[in-house]
Amino acid sequence: MRARRSCLAVPGSNPRFIEKAQGLAADEVFLDLEDSVAPAAKEKARENVVAALRDGDWTGKTIVVRVNDLTTQWTYRDVIDVVEGAGDRLDCVMLPKVEDASHVVWLDTLLTQIEKAHGLPRIGIEAQIESARGLVNVDAIAAASDRLETLVFGPADFMASIGMKTLVVGEQPPGYGEGDAYHYILMRILMAARANDLQAIDGPYLQIKDVDGFRRVAGRAAALGFDGKWVLHPSQVEAGNEVFSPSQEDYEHAELILEAYDYYTTVERRGAVMLGDEMIDEASRKMALVVAAKGRAAGLARARTFERPTME
């Protein structure tokens, strides 16, 4: 899977922001044609995005374009113009406000036609869950296409959809004193994603100057198992990359478990053994695989390896 610890949102109507995004350390950059672009600027933004994809240097980044949702008059032309114009420079198309599996099927079909017509490589899909209906249908949405790579939580529209009593995206609503008002939503998206081998991405934290608040909210999603979070400002990029990477200590320990378990199961042919004071088995190996994969994707390096016991 692609690294998506930090997914930077960039308005397609702002060439200066697009240019700056190319030099930032975000894992993913998505050029937006939807909510961050005024209706009168939609067509020009589409031209900006195509030009940026053709001429920009996006080395090392996953490149995504968020098109407009299917209730608008812009969506089909967004997909056709961007995919045909970008060619092989585009990794995924993000479809917002997905409420039904048929939305994903529509995009899959259109992408297939464009790819066949122009001999383009296969393009992935990111589906954004932004309403009560989308959450209720999230299992079917997650299974709608083998192009799907991620499910993305869209908190602002979702909060409006359910009538949540707050204007602050990502923070607990006033009066909700116990637990986490977003826990069910995040877990529901995460379960649908993992059941279909997809990544799960948390939505944005709009208080862009409050980096500590971003870390706290991102840490909540990372603790559950989310793969990354939207970032809206360069100050959030470093924090996102850090929060969604394992610590050096955890990464080293995960790699040690994998090496030790491989040795004990293949050489000594034992399925459950002690690694220091810790018992490890097949379940330990599966947990270690997750942490090790995230560490490798983050570019972490090992300082120590498993020392095989001496044979006496």
Side-chain angles (χ1 to χ4, degrees):
M1 292 186 178
R2 310 179 201 267
R4 285 184 167 96
R5 298 168 300 170
S6 54
C7 301
L8 178 63
V10 183
S13 55
N14 193 317
R16 183 172 64 87
F17 285 7
I18 293 174
E19 182 177 1
K20 185 174 182 179
Q22 297 174 47
L24 298 178
D27 287 340
E28 172 178 301
V29 172
F30 76 86
L31 305 178
D32 189 25
L33 297 175
E34 200 217 7
D35 283 350
S36 68
V37 179
K42 296 286 188 184
E43 293 189 10
K44 179 59 178 175
R46 196 185 293 147
E47 295 174 7
N48 293 342
V49 165
V50 170
L53 292 174
R54 282 177 174 170
D55 303 330
D57 181 2
W58 303 101
T59 304
K61 293 176 173 57
T62 296
I63 303 303
V64 179
V65 172
R66 181 168 73 161
V67 298
N68 287 278
D69 77 86
L70 281 178
T71 66
T72 74
Q73 68 270 35
W74 300 294
T75 317
Y76 81 100
R77 183 52 63 188
D78 285 345
V79 177
I80 293 170
D81 287 1
V82 168
V83 175
E84 290 185 349
D88 60 0
R89 305 297 299 275
L90 182 66
D91 294 312
C92 295
V93 172
M94 184 189 302
L95 187 64
K97 298 177 177 62
V98 176
E99 294 194 332
D100 188 86
S102 63
H103 294 188
V104 176
V105 172
W106 174 87
L107 180 55
D108 186 328
T109 302
L110 184 53
L111 288 173
T112 299
Q113 292 173 339
I114 298 170
E115 289 165 355
K116 287 181 177 179
H118 295 275
L120 296 175
R122 188 174 177 83
I123 295 168
I125 295 175
E126 298 189 358
Q128 204 172 358
I129 307 301
E130 301 187 76
S131 68
R133 187 175 177 216
L135 190 66
V136 168
N137 292 329
V138 71
D139 290 324
I141 291 168
S145 168
D146 59 7
R147 289 181 186 271
L148 268 172
E149 296 188 14
T150 70
L151 295 180
V152 183
F153 177 41
D157 280 284
F158 191 94
M159 292 157 67
S161 164
I162 65 174
M164 187 176 281
K165 189 181 176 183
T166 182
L167 292 172
V168 183
V169 174
E171 294 289 0
Q172 301 303 310
Y176 199 92
E178 300 293 334
D180 179 0
Y182 303 95
H183 182 77
Y184 170 76
I185 302 165
L186 293 175
M187 287 299 290
R188 191 73 185 81
I189 291 172
L190 183 64
M191 293 305 102
R194 293 297 187 255
N196 292 276
D197 297 323
L198 308 178
Q199 290 180 311
I201 305 300
D202 192 16
Y205 185 73
L206 271 58
Q207 315 305 310
I208 60 174
K209 294 184 179 180
D210 184 3
V211 180
D212 289 339
F214 174 87
R215 287 180 181 274
R216 173 172 43 79
V217 174
R220 174 187 67 194
L224 293 177
F226 272 64
D227 299 285
K229 185 172 178 65
W230 276 18
V231 294
L232 303 177
H233 189 269
S235 65
Q236 294 180 339
V237 172
E238 182 180 354
N241 288 344
E242 180 182 328
V243 170
F244 287 95
S245 298
S247 68
Q248 182 68 32
E249 180 180 358
D250 285 347
Y251 169 65
E252 294 266 10
H253 187 57
E255 294 283 18
L256 194 63
I257 289 173
L258 294 177
E259 282 190 349
Y261 188 71
D262 179 68
Y263 167 78
Y264 284 119
T265 55
T266 58
V267 178
E268 297 193 8
R269 299 187 179 182
R270 291 189 284 161
V273 297
M274 297 299 294
L275 178 61
D277 295 330
E278 175 186 13
M279 190 196 82
I280 61 173
D281 58 10
E282 175 60 16
S284 306
R285 184 191 71 85
K286 292 176 181 177
M287 294 169 65
L289 276 173
V290 173
V291 176
K294 290 185 176 183
R296 293 167 191 166
L300 298 182
R302 299 184 63 184
R304 58 194 178 98
T305 58
F306 173 66
E307 295 184 6
R308 296 189 174 195
T310 57
M311 303 298 292
E312 296 183 0

